[in-house]
Amino acid sequence: MEYKFGVCCCELDITDEIEDLQIFDTYDEAFDFYIKRLNIKDNPRWIEPYIWIVWIRKSDNKIEQFEQLSWKTKCKLINIKE
């Protein structure tokens, strides 16, 4: 299946309503736009968990997949053996 890619805002746990969708021909273009949008501090809608990279099927113009970058952090004190 062939895809185009996009970046949009959506509260997926609450609604299927897509806002501010920007469409790109390549994943790399969408990813670059996504990263730039994460750096916008004056618009709280462009922050996780609301911003998504989406895979759009060319055959029927429907979004099939939503992706986000996520960081995982754990804190734990561990003695280092010498």
Side-chain angles (χ1 to χ4, degrees), residues 41-62:
K41 295 178 182 163
D42 61 345
N43 188 350
R45 292 182 55 228
W46 285 109
I47 59 172
E48 288 188 83
Y50 307 113
I51 184 172
W52 296 90
I53 297 173
V54 295
W55 294 59
I56 305 165
R57 297 189 304 209
K58 287 185 177 181
S59 60
D60 58 7
N61 210 38
K62 290 185 180 182

Side-chain angles (χ1 to χ4, degrees), residues 17-66:
E17 187 175 320
I18 303 298
E19 297 180 11
D20 302 322
L21 176 63
Q22 300 288 319
I23 298 174
F24 303 92
D25 292 325
T26 69
Y27 184 89
D28 289 340
E29 291 172 315
F31 182 83
D32 290 345
F33 186 80
Y34 176 88
I35 294 298
K36 288 176 187 171
R37 287 295 179 225
L38 287 177
N39 293 327
I40 294 178
K41 295 178 182 163
D42 61 345
N43 188 350
R45 292 182 55 228
W46 285 109
I47 59 172
E48 288 188 83
Y50 307 113
I51 184 172
W52 296 90
I53 297 173
V54 295
W55 294 59
I56 305 165
R57 297 189 304 209
K58 287 185 177 181
S59 60
D60 58 7
N61 210 38
K62 290 185 180 182
I63 295 174
E64 180 176 291
Q65 181 171 312
F66 291 79

Side-chain angles (χ1 to χ4, degrees), residues 61-77:
N61 210 38
K62 290 185 180 182
I63 295 174
E64 180 176 291
Q65 181 171 312
F66 291 79
E67 293 182 356
Q68 287 182 324
L69 291 180
S70 62
W71 295 92
K72 186 173 187 179
T73 303
K74 293 186 177 191
C75 294
K76 184 175 182 180
L77 293 176

